[in-house]
mmCIF file with all atom_site columns, all heavy atoms in Angstrom:
data_model
loop_
_atom_site.group_PDB
_atom_site.id
_atom_site.type_symbol
_atom_site.label_atom_id
_atom_site.label_alt_id
_atom_site.label_comp_id
_atom_site.label_asym_id
_atom_site.label_entity_id
_atom_site.label_seq_id
_atom_site.pdbx_PDB_ins_code
_atom_site.Cartn_x
_atom_site.Cartn_y
_atom_site.Cartn_z
_atom_site.occupancy
_atom_site.B_iso_or_equiv
_atom_site.pdbx_formal_charge
_atom_site.auth_seq_id
_atom_site.auth_comp_id
_atom_site.auth_asym_id
_atom_site.auth_atom_id
_atom_site.pdbx_PDB_model_num
ATOM 1  N N   . GLU A 1 167 ? -21.610 -8.245  -7.643  1.00 0.00 ? 167 GLU A N   1
ATOM 2  C CA  . GLU A 1 167 ? -20.448 -8.155  -6.769  1.00 0.00 ? 167 GLU A CA  1
ATOM 3  C C   . GLU A 1 167 ? -19.304 -9.026  -7.388  1.00 0.00 ? 167 GLU A C   1
ATOM 4  O O   . GLU A 1 167 ? -18.112 -8.603  -7.351  1.00 0.00 ? 167 GLU A O   1
ATOM 5  C CB  . GLU A 1 167 ? -20.764 -8.659  -5.372  1.00 0.00 ? 167 GLU A CB  1
ATOM 6  C CG  . GLU A 1 167 ? -19.613 -8.434  -4.455  1.00 0.00 ? 167 GLU A CG  1
ATOM 7  C CD  . GLU A 1 167 ? -20.005 -8.546  -2.972  1.00 0.00 ? 167 GLU A CD  1
ATOM 8  O OE1 . GLU A 1 167 ? -21.204 -8.592  -2.672  1.00 0.00 ? 167 GLU A OE1 1
ATOM 9  O OE2 . GLU A 1 167 ? -19.072 -8.581  -2.139  1.00 0.00 ? 167 GLU A OE2 1
ATOM 10 N N   . ALA A 1 168 ? -19.678 -10.154 -7.988  1.00 0.00 ? 168 ALA A N   1
ATOM 11 C CA  . ALA A 1 168 ? -18.595 -11.076 -8.522  1.00 0.00 ? 168 ALA A CA  1
ATOM 12 C C   . ALA A 1 168 ? -17.864 -10.329 -9.666  1.00 0.00 ? 168 ALA A C   1
ATOM 13 O O   . ALA A 1 168 ? -16.648 -10.525 -9.813  1.00 0.00 ? 168 ALA A O   1
ATOM 14 C CB  . ALA A 1 168 ? -19.245 -12.368 -9.042  1.00 0.00 ? 168 ALA A CB  1
ATOM 15 N N   . ASP A 1 169 ? -18.601 -9.549  -10.452 1.00 0.00 ? 169 ASP A N   1
ATOM 16 C CA  . ASP A 1 169 ? -17.923 -8.836  -11.571 1.00 0.00 ? 169 ASP A CA  1
ATOM 17 C C   . ASP A 1 169 ? -17.018 -7.762  -11.042 1.00 0.00 ? 169 ASP A C   1
ATOM 18 O O   . ASP A 1 169 ? -15.965 -7.509  -11.621 1.00 0.00 ? 169 ASP A O   1
ATOM 19 C CB  . ASP A 1 169 ? -19.009 -8.230  -12.504 1.00 0.00 ? 169 ASP A CB  1
ATOM 20 C CG  . ASP A 1 169 ? -19.796 -9.314  -13.223 1.00 0.00 ? 169 ASP A CG  1
ATOM 21 O OD1 . ASP A 1 169 ? -19.300 -10.474 -13.331 1.00 0.00 ? 169 ASP A OD1 1
ATOM 22 O OD2 . ASP A 1 169 ? -20.948 -9.039  -13.652 1.00 0.00 ? 169 ASP A OD2 1
ATOM 23 N N   . VAL A 1 170 ? -17.393 -7.115  -9.999  1.00 0.00 ? 170 VAL A N   1
ATOM 24 C CA  . VAL A 1 170 ? -16.556 -6.060  -9.389  1.00 0.00 ? 170 VAL A CA  1
ATOM 25 C C   . VAL A 1 170 ? -15.298 -6.722  -8.794  1.00 0.00 ? 170 VAL A C   1
ATOM 26 O O   . VAL A 1 170 ? -14.190 -6.124  -8.890  1.00 0.00 ? 170 VAL A O   1
ATOM 27 C CB  . VAL A 1 170 ? -17.335 -5.267  -8.359  1.00 0.00 ? 170 VAL A CB  1
ATOM 28 C CG1 . VAL A 1 170 ? -16.445 -4.120  -7.787  1.00 0.00 ? 170 VAL A CG1 1
ATOM 29 C CG2 . VAL A 1 170 ? -18.610 -4.624  -8.963  1.00 0.00 ? 170 VAL A CG2 1
ATOM 30 N N   . ARG A 1 171 ? -15.446 -7.876  -8.204  1.00 0.00 ? 171 ARG A N   1
ATOM 31 C CA  . ARG A 1 171 ? -14.310 -8.586  -7.669  1.00 0.00 ? 171 ARG A CA  1
ATOM 32 C C   . ARG A 1 171 ? -13.309 -8.882  -8.792  1.00 0.00 ? 171 ARG A C   1
ATOM 33 O O   . ARG A 1 171 ? -12.081 -8.787  -8.543  1.00 0.00 ? 171 ARG A O   1
ATOM 34 C CB  . ARG A 1 171 ? -14.724 -9.894  -6.972  1.00 0.00 ? 171 ARG A CB  1
ATOM 35 C CG  . ARG A 1 171 ? -15.363 -9.726  -5.608  1.00 0.00 ? 171 ARG A CG  1
ATOM 36 C CD  . ARG A 1 171 ? -15.581 -11.086 -4.989  1.00 0.00 ? 171 ARG A CD  1
ATOM 37 N NE  . ARG A 1 171 ? -14.440 -11.562 -4.230  1.00 0.00 ? 171 ARG A NE  1
ATOM 38 C CZ  . ARG A 1 171 ? -13.579 -12.415 -4.683  1.00 0.00 ? 171 ARG A CZ  1
ATOM 39 N NH1 . ARG A 1 171 ? -13.720 -13.005 -5.877  1.00 0.00 ? 171 ARG A NH1 1
ATOM 40 N NH2 . ARG A 1 171 ? -12.509 -12.809 -3.966  1.00 0.00 ? 171 ARG A NH2 1
ATOM 41 N N   . VAL A 1 172 ? -13.796 -9.303  -9.928  1.00 0.00 ? 172 VAL A N   1
ATOM 42 C CA  . VAL A 1 172 ? -12.875 -9.579  -11.068 1.00 0.00 ? 172 VAL A CA  1
ATOM 43 C C   . VAL A 1 172 ? -12.113 -8.326  -11.426 1.00 0.00 ? 172 VAL A C   1
ATOM 44 O O   . VAL A 1 172 ? -10.925 -8.360  -11.696 1.00 0.00 ? 172 VAL A O   1
ATOM 45 C CB  . VAL A 1 172 ? -13.670 -10.143 -12.270 1.00 0.00 ? 172 VAL A CB  1
ATOM 46 C CG1 . VAL A 1 172 ? -12.851 -10.102 -13.549 1.00 0.00 ? 172 VAL A CG1 1
ATOM 47 C CG2 . VAL A 1 172 ? -14.084 -11.589 -11.960 1.00 0.00 ? 172 VAL A CG2 1
ATOM 48 N N   . ILE A 1 173 ? -12.782 -7.187  -11.448 1.00 0.00 ? 173 ILE A N   1
ATOM 49 C CA  . ILE A 1 173 ? -12.122 -5.918  -11.828 1.00 0.00 ? 173 ILE A CA  1
ATOM 50 C C   . ILE A 1 173 ? -11.030 -5.609  -10.783 1.00 0.00 ? 173 ILE A C   1
ATOM 51 O O   . ILE A 1 173 ? -9.906  -5.230  -11.150 1.00 0.00 ? 173 ILE A O   1
ATOM 52 C CB  . ILE A 1 173 ? -13.144 -4.777  -11.904 1.00 0.00 ? 173 ILE A CB  1
ATOM 53 C CG1 . ILE A 1 173 ? -14.002 -4.962  -13.174 1.00 0.00 ? 173 ILE A CG1 1
ATOM 54 C CG2 . ILE A 1 173 ? -12.443 -3.420  -11.890 1.00 0.00 ? 173 ILE A CG2 1
ATOM 55 C CD1 . ILE A 1 173 ? -15.245 -4.141  -13.231 1.00 0.00 ? 173 ILE A CD1 1
ATOM 56 N N   . ALA A 1 174 ? -11.346 -5.817  -9.512  1.00 0.00 ? 174 ALA A N   1
ATOM 57 C CA  . ALA A 1 174 ? -10.363 -5.574  -8.436  1.00 0.00 ? 174 ALA A CA  1
ATOM 58 C C   . ALA A 1 174 ? -9.187  -6.520  -8.591  1.00 0.00 ? 174 ALA A C   1
ATOM 59 O O   . ALA A 1 174 ? -8.029  -6.174  -8.418  1.00 0.00 ? 174 ALA A O   1
ATOM 60 C CB  . ALA A 1 174 ? -11.044 -5.739  -7.086  1.00 0.00 ? 174 ALA A CB  1
#
Side-chain angles (χ1 to χ4, degrees):
Chain A
E167 189 165 348
D169 294 338
V170 181
R171 284 187 85 261
V172 164
I173 288 165

